[in-house]
Structure formats: C-alpha cells, structure tokens
Amino acid sequence: MKRRILAPVAAVLTSIGALLVLLALLGSPDLAAAPAALTVTAVEPSSIPNDRDASIVITGTGFTAALSGTQVITPPTVLLNTTELADVGWVASTTLTSTVPAGFPVGVYTVTVETPDGADGSLPDALTVRYPAPELEAVGPLSGTYGQTMALTVTGTHFVPTPTVSLGRVPCPEVGVVSSKTLTVTVPGDLLPGIHDLTVRNPGPDRPQDVLPGAFTLYSPQPAVTDVEPLEGPNDLDIAVVITGTGFAPTPTARLEGTTLNDVAWVSMTQLTARVPWGMDPGTYGLTVTNPAPGAFDAALADAFTVTEGIGVWNPGKLYGGAVSDVLINPDDPDTIYAETQEVGLFRSGDGGASWSFIYAPSAQNTVIDPSHPDRIYLTGDPHHAWQFLWRSDDGGTHWIPLTTTFPVTETSGRRCYASDRLKTYVVSQTHTLYASACGTEDQFRGVIRSTDRGESWEPAIGGLTDTQVTDLAIHPTEALTMVAGTASGNVFISHNGGMTWTFASQPVSYVRELDVNPFGEHEVWIAAGTGFGGAPGVLKSTDAGLTEWTSVAPPGDVGYLDDFFTFAPRAWGQTYSETVFVACGHKTTDGGESWSSFGPESDWIYDYVYDFEPHPTQTRTLYAGVHDEGVYKTTDGGATWHVVNEGLTGLVPNELHSVPDHPDTVYAFDEFQQRMYKATQGGAVWQTLPITGVQGILVDPFTPTRIYAGVTRGVYISEDGGQTWPQFVHIDPPPDYEGDWYWANVLRAHPDNPGELLAAVSPNDGSASWTSTIIYRSTDWGQTWARGEMLPKGVRDIAYDPISPTIVYATTGDNALDPDLQGPVLKSTDSGQTWKSLDIQGVIGVEVEPGTHRVYIPNGPPCVDSVLCFSDDYGKTWHPTGEEHPAYITDFTFGSGDPPVIYAHSDGGLLKSEDRGKTWSKAAGTLERVPIYALTTAQAEERDILYAATTGGYVEDAGAQALRPAATADTLANPGVYRYTTRRARQLYLPLVLKAPTIQ
C-alpha cells in the first residue's frame, strides 16, 4: 500500500525538480543576461605528466554554453595550441573542466576557449605537459676510486630518452638509455672524492627528476710523492714549491713534518703546488701528502725539502743577463768561456755556458786569452781607476795579479777616444809577446808598448808612429812580426818588425774603431770607422800590402751603414768559410761583404744590440752572442735557433728598486743604462724581463699595486697587470718652445693620500748627456691627462712628498751625473707640485722625507759635506748635519720601519744604516759590507722588515772592496746582483758594527 502511494509522489517530485531546474536555467543571469567578455585566467594544475589521463580546471570569464532542447548543454571548446580536447565539462561561466589524454606530446601550451556563439579567449603558456618524473631504485657499483674510468648502471622506472644524470653537481658525460627502467652512465672525470647523490632528470619541460641520496662513493687513491722543486728555500719568505708524484686527488693537504703548507693547489694527479710558510726553523724536513676523504691515504717523502736560514743573512737573487760586450773561448778547452759585462766584471763558464761564476770585479774590458797558454788571461779594469789598469791571471781567472804599464810621453792630437780604446792588450803566441795600446788625451797614456815577460816589464814600440793615440792593433795571422795600428785620427800604420818601427800607410777614415785581419786567403785588413765623434761611418777593407788602397764594404740594406765590430770565421773551420764575417749589428756575410743576411737572436729589442759574436774554434755550427742586456745567447745549429745561457750570469745591476705594497716578495727594478724594467717574485728567486723598452723611470701605484707607470720618450706607458702588458701610452705635450722629439719622463711619484694624483719630471734632451731643464707635470686622473707646470732651470733628480702635509713637495735638480758640482738647487712646492721655489742649498742628488714626520733629509750636500746626511725640521729653511762624518759618498737612501724609522744609505763604499736619525752609522756585515750599492728599497711583511739591495759586487776584504791584493782570488768576491735581507721586528737589526758614536744632537 505504501509503495503504491510513494511511487506517484516520487514521479511528481521528479517532474517538479526538473521544472525548477529548467526555470532556474531560464532565469539564470549566465544565460539570460548579456554574456561577459571571454577571458582565460588560469589552468590548474599548470603542469601535468603525460603518462596518464590528467584532469584540468580552466577558470576565466564569459564561458557561455548552448542548450539543445531542455536536456542537453553544448559546452565551449577547449584547445591546447591547435589540438581540441574531447572531454569538456561546463561548470559555470567561470569554470570549465577537461581531460588531457595520456600520451599527449610534451610541451608548453596556450589554452584557448571558444564558445558556441563564436567568442574566444586564450592564455599563453598556461599548461605544461611533461614527461613523468623518473623513480630511482639502485646504482651499481656503489663506489670507485678517483682517477679511474668507471661505468655505472642505474635502475628505476620512467626513464625517457635521453635523461641527464649527475653525481652531486657534476654532470655525467655519457648517458645511455637501455630501457625505461635501465640507464648506463660514465662517472665524470672531474668528480671529486666524496659521497655523492645521484640525480636523474628526464628531458623536456620542467625537467622532472628524482634523487637517490648517497648513491655513489668516490674514494681517493693511494698517493705517492717522488719530488719537490725547489729542494730548498729560505725561511724569511713563503716559498712556492711544486710537488710531483702520482695519485693526487683534489685537493690534498701537505705538511713538512708538523708544519702545514699553505695554498695547496691541485694541478693534476701527478702535480701539486703549495707554499712553504715563512718562519720555519732551518733543517731538512720530510713531506707528507694526505688525499681527501673518503680514503684519506698518506704518502711520505723523506728529506724532501731543506729550509735554509734566510733571516739575518744576505740572500742573493737570480737576475741574470747583462750587457755582455765580449765572449771569449779557451781554444784548448772550448767548454771554458768568459763573458765581459759592462760596469760589473768578468764571468766564467766551465760547461759551455750552462752555468756561470763571477771571477773579476769591478769592470772588465778588452779581455784577451794567450793562445799558447789559454789559462793566461789579460784584461783592463775600470778605465776611471788608474790603479786598476791592467791585470793578469795565470789560472783561468781564479787569481789576478796587477800589472804596471809604462807608456812613453808623446805629443797628442787632442782627439777624444772611446773609453774602451784607452787601453787594449794583444798577445802574439808565436813570439810570446804581449802588446798594449793606449789612446789617451792630455796627460793620459798613449802609444804602443810591448812585454816579453807577461807584462812584468815593458818597452816602447812607437818608432815612426807619428800619431800615438792608438785605438786598435791587428796582428797578421801567419806573419807574427807584421801588425797594423789605427788611431783616433783615422791614421793607419804598419810594422813588419813587431812594432819596433812603424810606417804610415794611409788615413782611410776619421776614427779607427776596429782593425782585424782575415785569417784566410789574401789576409785582407778590415777597418771599422768610429762614429761617436762626428766621423763618417763605414767599414772598409784592403788587400794592398801597403794598405794605401781601401774598398768600402756594402752595408746590409736594413742597417744603412756598418760601424760595428766584426768577427771572422776561425781558420779551423776551413776554406769554405774564408769569406764569412759576422757583424755585431746582427748580420753575416759569406761572400766577403758583397751581400748580407740577418743573423743572431731575433727579438724586437735584440737586433742591433748584439755586441759580439764568438764562433766555436772547431764546431762550425756553434756560436755565442754577447747581447746588450740579455747576456749570452748560444746556437748549435748555425744560427737557425738561439737560446739564452745565463744561469749565474748576474751582470744586470739596476739603479732603482721599487717594492710593492702588501706584496713583500715582489720587486720591480729599473736599469737606467739598459732602459729596461724587470720584475722579481719570490723575493728575487724568479725574475722576468718585462716587455717594454726605452724606460727612463718607473712608479708602482701605491693604491693599486698592479698598476705600473713607465716613463719613456714623449710620455708614459701604463700597465694594469703588473707589467705583463702595456696597452696604453699617454702622450705628454712637449715643453714650450721645444721642437725636438727627445724628451722623457724620468722621475715619477705618487701623492701619498690622493689616489690617481701623480707628478712626472719631464726633461728635454739638447743633444748632450746633460739635463739642462725640466718641467714637472701633474695628473689627477691616474695619468690619463697631464697639466704642464713651470720650467725649472735644471734636470730633476728626485721628488719627495711630505707625508704629513702632501701639498708640500721637495725636488732636487742637477745634471745627469753624480758629481755634486753639477747639481742645481733644492726646490720646494707648497701647492702639490704646481709651482716651485728654490731653497738656499744646492749640490744635492736625492731627497727623502721621514715617514710620519716633516723632517726632510738630503745626502752629501752643503752644509753636510762631512756628514752622511743633512736634515731640516722647518720645511727647508735651515739645514743641519745629522751627525758623524763618514768617508763614503752617499748616492741615495731610504727608510725602513721603526720609531724613529731606520735609515739605509747606499754608497760607493758599501751599505750603511742608522737607527738614530743619522747621528751614528754602522756598516753592513757580510756580503755587502764594502761593495758599491746602486739601489735600495724596503718592504714590510708579517712581523718582518725586508731590505732589497742592488750591487755591482766586488772584493770583500779587511782593507776594503777596492784595495785589491797583489793576488786577488775569486773566493773573496761578492757576486753582483740584487740581494734580500730580512729581519724580525722584535729582534735587533742586522748591522751591528758601530764605527763612531758622536754626541752631536
């Protein structure tokens, strides 16, 4: 009964519900009202995998639907780019639903909705369809060893070709897809030892990934240490070392017994670099290298590195090279070679140039070897010191005996002579006779003398020699009594009786620079004309027995003329080389001068700077070249290739040294004679010739130490990388009314407080060696522009800022020489160098202001002629001697640390030091006690003060460096070069020998 009643009721209710829904739809604002603008605002989720059907919900506005009768609704159309989705559900005018089928292509899609009435709207990049995320299960093998090439197998699911795989953050270089469940990968070679997560990322949008934590362990191998380079080093600086071996993994630790090395860097599995910290006790240490964990295996090398005492001792540097003016070879032992270096002395090599030792100081010129006794050597010393005129060694240069020469008094033509022509020696082996020629003026030696007892006694050989200013002699190679003499006036004389009598032959040139006789053929005589005193250049030769007729030798086309020294091929080379001549300008001829070819070391700054070629006495393809500032070069392939052979040849002595702020192991050096710049690292253990020439002055920027300024002709070069490159040249306008091109920035200084503010002293050249005037230019933009100051009457020698009041600047002026009589006044500026006034003092070379004070010092000037220094505490108004007298001539000085600051002074007689503001002075103990010092600089490091000093070296004896004994030995020589001396600040400094202690205040 109840069922019969309820059924009709349900039907009625259903009909009523349907009617209500229909009425609601008909009355709905979504259908009845004007449709809203169609927009698509979002899709959720915005990213879906394509391995299964995925439902999405699209929201926006204006999603209208159409009725089909009263029961069916036609929803809008949904497209992914241009692909229509089949299943769209209309929820409301703001919401649609749809399903993206499994396998839909991956990509980023624009979602578009189109309504039945033709409206549409889109949302770019609204939906990302991606590959499914992989699911990792296992890796095999689980571990490996660094340095091995390994393949891994990765298992899991949902791997899609081709995924990327990484261990930690390092991508695996090779990935192979075996199936959707298996991958093969190669362990990357740069993966470091450690425990690494494995990450697999499928391709395509979102790069879905999975991570397997701690999946693979890479162990360090067992290392082995085989060598350390260098094997030793001083303990006053950090020492860079290279450790070689096998099995090094990035990055191990290294220690010398209990001391850990700093800055260990992994180079390869066979090489590490590190720094031995300063301050270790001297001794020999074992080295231990420990690879990183996991593994952390050790390797040890016993007695691997020796720490030497570098604190409180002089450490010689390795600045090799020099102006080698002549190379000589022992004819009986061609591996024994000698090299003359200007301003320094004589070096000897016993291994064909592979290494050199210093055997004579302070200067060597015109060295000759007795061909009949090759261990017997003669040389002339510094021509400015008569007491070091002529020397002989009977043991290859180990000991030296002074010889006294006696020249007759003769008339002079008054012609000037080259310094190297003032005294020359020649040996005639057949007659065992030693000859000496001299080209002196006024009261100096002139003429020719000869000796038959190795220079112990002499007799004149000037009969018929009407011009006694002899510049060179040439000995006939087969007729020992026949010789030719040339003079400073260009006259040529000939003798056929060993110089007892001479006959005038001709005057082919205005100055005879060199004479030589070809050892082959007709033995023609060659002559080179000197051009230094206004004479015409050229090389001539004569085959005329009387030397009355001369033929000009054609110069090489790219040289223009010849006036350089020439060398004939040795007789032992054979007749094939009878017309071969080597010329110092970097050329050779094989046809007696008819044609020429370039010859010698090739470099932008070496050609035309070769001083001498020396051929091997028997080997036709081996020659040596003495080069302007590069030392000695050697070829063993006839000149096709050349290589430097300078180890130990410390012939370069800079006259300026500049330390680098915060880098105490780095020094820049400038050689005024060579006009080159050099850079030292590791405290002078490593030197580099910087790629710049013509340098007149240098400056290290105190605020940016990698910025280096180089004063050159007509401007300044600027390097931003510590001198490695010089891309920028800044031209400085010439002084007013100066029409020449030869003016240069020779003194550069930086303001102590204002970055970028610089001063440059620019001196024009009037054609002489003198500095007749200077303008000090000022820059406030790091040298980019320069403002010209006022003309000063003399060349500027030095500039110094007051460190307390840098608007006050001092300058010393004078000639380009050390003679105080040629120096000008001391100047002062009170406007940072823009204008200058003269102080009432002159004859001064250098000036410095004491750090932290106003006290200004000058050396060797009135009123401190008998004192080492003078000082002023009132800005140069009055001057006072600092203290005691001292016989040494001070050329410059610098300050160290301390309170008051230590003063170091360099002189022609050694290094001096004062700890009491110049009241008392002491001499350097040890190597530099009495040898000339050319340059100084100081540097401050952690708990240390470092002093660098440049010296030409010399003999160190109780009587002084220049009071040589009758038989001086090379064992008493101090080598030339740049030295380093380090002291701890907590200890007494290194110069303990007090000479005097006057009470002057």
Side-chain angles (χ1 to χ4, degrees), residues 175-193:
V175 179
V177 179
V178 179
S179 68
S180 63
K181 296 183 178 182
T182 305
L183 302 176
T184 59
V185 299
T186 300
V187 176
D190 54 347
L191 185 68
L192 300 181

Side-chain angles (χ1 to χ4, degrees), residues 553-583:
V553 176
D558 58 343
V559 172
Y561 64 86
L562 284 174
D563 69 341
D564 291 296
F565 301 129
F566 38 78
T567 303
F568 294 99
R571 294 179 65 184
W573 282 22
Q575 192 64 30
T576 303
Y577 297 90
S578 62
E579 294 188 277
T580 297
V581 186
F582 305 96
V583 182

Side-chain angles (χ1 to χ4, degrees), residues 698-715:
I698 67 174
L699 172 67
V700 179
D701 193 301
F703 301 96
T704 308
T706 56
R707 181 180 297 125
I708 313 298
Y709 302 90
V712 296
T713 302
R714 298 184 292 278

Side-chain angles (χ1 to χ4, degrees), residues 193-210:
I195 300 173
H196 301 281
D197 298 341
L198 176 73
T199 301
V200 175
R201 296 179 178 87
N202 275 339
D206 291 353
R207 299 188 64 199
Q209 69 178 41
D210 193 19

Side-chain angles (χ1 to χ4, degrees), residues 919-943:
K919 294 180 182 179
T920 60
W921 294 87
S922 55
K923 268 185 167 291
T927 305
L928 304 190
E929 181 180 2
R930 292 184 175 90
V931 296
I933 305 298
Y934 275 51
L936 287 174
T937 191
T938 57
Q940 281 70 51
E942 178 189 5
E943 301 178 8

Side-chain angles (χ1 to χ4, degrees), residues 382-395:
D382 189 335
H384 300 292
H385 297 88
W387 45 263
Q388 278 183 295
F389 219 33
L390 182 62
W391 296 84
R392 185 187 81 230
S393 174
D394 295 323
D395 54 10

